[in-house]
Amino acid sequence: MWQALISGCSAGGLTSILHCDRFHRLLPAAANVKCLSDAGFFINVKDIAGVNHAAAFFSDVVKTHGSVKNLPSLCTSKLPAGMCLFPQNEVKQIQTPLFILNAAYDSWQVRNILVPGGSDPRWRSCKHDIKQCSAKQLKILQGFRDHFLEAIEAQGDSPTRGLFINSCFAHCQSEIQEIWFAPGSPVLGDKRIASAVGDWFYGRSWFQKTDCPYPCDSTCHVFKNSSHT
């Protein structure tokens, strides 16, 4: 029996969502085909200045690359093409089993969507290290987490959908062994990421868990001078 998993991190994680069903259609009907999106669930949220920076950015990306023809028509027939790069407008339509692996405080989204370049300089330390955030800044980050979880929950609770949403300040958690499956890897429930994804992929058990708010998770992996954090 064919076993196939399309996966990616960041932009690749978004691609895994956008092309999930299309990938499935390339393979035999009897194949076990599933999709894994790591840090690809970008949300449409206003930045700290109240500007919808992310929506404008994604709209520019679509225009620059002529991406309309490659986006799911079920979405582009209803929404502006740029909005179809936001998974919250796509996931409900996906028929293929999908696993969403994401940090609720996704560090790339914090730095580029919530606090984009040129924002309040008082955020410089916080947006690169959550431990440096003031109480007021942490409250805003908790609000970002709330928006993220609302976008996830709006996708429904299909039994074929996998979720590993932890409270780490991270971006991409499937690329290297130290985070994916090692003694010090992040844990949610009683499972490391690789175990949760593996059990879901092979149908041993479904996995849908969301972490408690920062700073409750003591299993987050911290890198020094790394783009992963």
Side-chain angles (χ1 to χ4, degrees):
M1 179 179 178
W2 286 60
Q3 305 280 354
L5 176 69
I6 183 173
S7 67
C9 151
S10 193
L14 173 58
T15 300
S16 296
I17 291 173
L18 296 176
H19 297 292
C20 184
D21 284 341
R22 189 177 303 177
F23 173 69
H24 195 171
R25 290 193 293 269
L26 295 174
L27 297 165
N32 179 32
V33 182
K34 297 181 180 179
C35 309
L36 167 64
S37 171
D38 177 11
F41 202 97
F42 302 99
I43 63 169
N44 183 18
V45 66
K46 291 181 179 179
D47 63 22
I48 57 171
V51 177
N52 205 325
H53 173 81
F57 175 76
F58 276 9
S59 178
D60 287 345
V61 168
V62 168
K63 291 177 183 177
T64 299
H65 297 284
S67 305
V68 176
K69 61 183 181 296
N70 295 316
L71 293 170
S73 59
L74 280 174
C75 182
T76 56
S77 64
K78 301 174 183 177
L79 295 170
M83 298 300 291
C84 295
L85 284 181
F86 290 107
Q88 63 201 82
N89 296 323
E90 293 285 359
V91 170
K92 275 187 179 179
Q93 306 168 45
I94 296 174
Q95 301 298 311
T96 306
L98 169 68
F99 196 107
I100 298 172
L101 164 62
N102 227 105
Y105 308 87
D106 186 286
S107 56
W108 189 92
Q109 293 195 58
V110 169
R111 295 167 188 163
N112 295 278
I113 292 179
L114 182 64
V115 193
S119 296
D120 190 334
R122 289 172 292 184
W123 275 82
R124 187 173 294 114
S125 295
C126 172
K127 75 176 191 175
H128 289 286
D129 182 356
I130 196 170
K131 294 179 180 178
Q132 302 299 317
C133 297
S134 67
K136 183 177 180 180
Q137 289 168 331
L138 280 177
K139 185 176 181 180
I140 292 172
L141 289 179
Q142 299 295 9
F144 176 86
R145 173 183 180 270
D146 290 343
H147 285 300
F148 182 87
L149 295 184
E150 286 170 6
I152 290 287
E153 290 166 3
Q155 307 310 313
D157 57 354
S158 167
T160 66
R161 183 89 13 96
L163 290 177
F164 192 110
I165 310 297
N166 60 14
S167 290
C168 302
F169 188 65
H171 184 66
C172 294
Q173 300 182 86
S174 67
E175 291 188 304
I176 61 172
Q177 192 70 14
E178 291 171 80
I179 303 179
W180 176 247
F181 190 74
S185 296
V187 173
L188 198 48
D190 60 351
K191 293 184 180 181
R192 299 186 184 101
I193 296 169
S195 296
V197 173
D199 287 347
W200 165 83
F201 180 79
Y202 289 107
R204 293 188 288 260
S205 64
W206 297 120
F207 191 92
Q208 295 182 339
K209 291 190 180 296
T210 299
D211 212 349
C212 48
Y214 175 86
C216 72
D217 192 335
S218 62
T219 70
C220 295
H221 194 100
V222 178
F223 280 96
K224 293 183 179 179
N225 302 319
S226 170
S227 61
H228 290 269
T229 59

